[in-house]
């Protein structure tokens, strides 16, 4: 499996929150919905995204795209110094913060929200509501906030989304869910190719002639009963050399990485397939459902069945 394809195959929006946000200066909204991932595209105007953890604010303009990873809070505003007028809380509940008896921002019709239909600022926002809609491997690989400016990001999906989000036709929610998935995948593919991308250690290690070979073997065939000796022989180095270099570049020993990879694949299969736990165990390299359950519970703190029930 191509490792990037494996990482990006997971997005599965189900009834994602999709909206056109429309503002006029001065404007500012605090985002505290704790959604696992939000995608924002500027159509017109500019905005600052200000993380609550003190990380640097980032500016986005027309055509730029930003991805914010939850559950951290942040503020979207026309100016960094503008105090928020409203807060978006879990469940997409909008609470006014300026003390006014009537909320400044309101529902403007199907998938439109803000101050007025002709607002000078327009953002398209798509939010994954549940962590189960995204693989843990994907979320763990992303920074809290990333921005793709138009100089490096020119995606034909953006105008298509801008057109479809205005429609209210049969099956529209499904169309928007799939467009959001495609937009996210295209954006992350572009971002991972950037030199400034804070890609995970294992992703960078794929470029190493020794460790990259071992990683691909583990990722392509996790069910194989791998040993360090097997991997070292195929990589053309000694066991000690492989173990040392693998730990240096990936941050963990080969067998620990294999265990985590197997359990991550199992978690995805539990969520996205109807295979029995025993069948999933065999597919990812465990001899029985009992063996998988023991390893899964040690790492995730819950049984595979509990994970499947929660994801559903």
């Amino acid at each position: 499996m191509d490792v990037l394809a494996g990482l990006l195959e997971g997005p599965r929006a189900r009834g994602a929150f999709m909206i056109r946000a429309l503002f006029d200066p001065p404007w500012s909204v605090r985002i505290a919905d704790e959604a696992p991932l939000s995608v924002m595209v500027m159509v017109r105007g500019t905005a600052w995204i200000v993380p609550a953890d003190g990380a640097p604010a980032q500016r986005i303009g027309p055509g730029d795209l930003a991805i914010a990873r939850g559950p951290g809070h942040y503020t979207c505003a026309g100016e960094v110094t503008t105090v928020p007028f409203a807060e978006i809380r879990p469940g997409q509940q909008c609470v006014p913060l300026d003390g006014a008896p009537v909320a400044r921002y309101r529902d403007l019709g199907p998938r439109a929200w803000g101050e007025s239909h002709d607002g000078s600022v327009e953002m398209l926002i798509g939010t994954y509501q549940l962590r189960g809609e995204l693989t843990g491997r994907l979320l763990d690989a992303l920074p809290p906030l990333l921005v793709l400016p138009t100089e490096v990001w020119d995606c034909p999906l953006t105008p298509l989304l801008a057109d479809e989000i205005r429609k209210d036709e049969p099956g529209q929610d499904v169309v928007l869910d799939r467009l959001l998935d495609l937009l996210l995948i295209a954006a992350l593919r572009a971002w991972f190719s950037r030199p400034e991308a804070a890609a995970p250690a294992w992703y960078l290690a794929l470029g190493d002639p020794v460790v990259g070979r071992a990683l691909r073997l583990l990722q392509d065939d996790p069910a194989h009963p791998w040993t360090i000796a097997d991997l070292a022989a195929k990589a053309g180095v000694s066991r000690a050399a492989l173990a040392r270099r693998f730990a240096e570049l990936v941050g963990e020993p080969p067998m620990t990485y294999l265990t985590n990879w197997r359990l991550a694949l199992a978690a995805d299969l539990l969520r996205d397939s109807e295979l029995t736990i025993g069948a999933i165990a065999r597919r990812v390299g465990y001899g029985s459902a009992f063996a998988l359950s023991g390893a899964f519970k040690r790492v995730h703190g819950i049984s595979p069945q509990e994970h499947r029930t929660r994801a559903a």
Side-chain angles (χ1 to χ4, degrees), residues 6-29:
L7 187 67
L8 299 181
E9 69 178 357
R12 297 289 188 277
R14 299 179 179 91
F17 177 74
M18 299 283 292
I19 203 164
R20 293 168 57 230
L22 299 147
F23 305 107
D24 284 308
W27 66 276
S28 181
V29 180

Side-chain angles (χ1 to χ4, degrees), residues 48-269:
W48 285 92
I49 302 176
V50 187
D53 62 4
Q58 298 204 48
R59 181 182 180 277
I60 55 175
D64 296 349
L65 177 142
I67 296 174
R69 175 170 58 83
H73 299 177
Y74 54 94
T75 295
C76 288
E79 298 292 342
V80 173
T81 56
T82 304
V83 177
F85 298 116
E87 181 174 270
I88 307 300
R89 296 178 181 173
Q92 301 306 321
Q93 178 189 13
C94 180
V95 178
L97 297 178
D98 58 4
V102 178
R104 176 168 182 160
Y105 306 127
R106 64 192 187 280
D107 183 6
L108 297 173
R111 302 187 189 88
W113 174 86
E115 291 180 271
S116 66
H117 286 285
D118 57 353
S120 61
V121 174
E122 180 180 355
M123 300 176 69
L124 306 181
I125 302 171
T127 299
Y128 289 83
Q129 301 293 289
L130 300 172
R131 185 178 175 91
E133 296 172 337
L134 300 149
T135 66
R137 289 173 289 130
L138 174 57
L139 291 173
D140 292 343
L142 299 180
L145 176 66
L146 67 91
V147 171
L148 283 171
T150 52
E151 300 85 76
V152 300
W153 165 253
D154 182 18
C155 181
L157 292 170
T158 300
L160 181 59
L161 178 61
D163 179 58
E164 290 290 338
I165 202 171
R166 296 169 180 265
K167 298 179 181 179
D168 193 19
E169 300 177 1
Q172 197 64 25
D173 287 344
V174 176
V175 171
L176 291 172
D177 282 350
R178 297 292 76 79
L179 279 176
L180 178 60
D181 289 341
L182 290 171
L183 184 69
L184 175 62
I185 290 169
L188 293 179
R189 186 172 63 180
W191 180 76
F192 271 109
S193 70
R194 301 296 301 162
E196 70 272 17
W202 57 261
Y203 186 84
L204 298 175
L206 286 166
D208 183 83
V210 173
V211 176
R213 169 69 172 157
L215 278 168
R216 288 184 178 87
L217 289 168
L218 297 177
Q219 291 165 350
D220 289 347
D221 191 6
H224 185 81
W226 292 108
T227 65
I228 293 182
D230 292 336
L231 292 171
K234 290 184 177 295
V237 296
S238 69
R239 288 179 294 175
L242 174 64
R244 180 177 63 254
R245 188 157 183 80
F246 197 103
E248 287 175 353
L249 295 182
V250 180
E252 59 188 1
M255 294 300 103
T256 301
Y257 177 86
L258 176 59
T259 296
N260 291 334
W261 177 249
R262 285 171 168 170
L263 295 179
L265 293 175
D268 291 347
L269 288 169

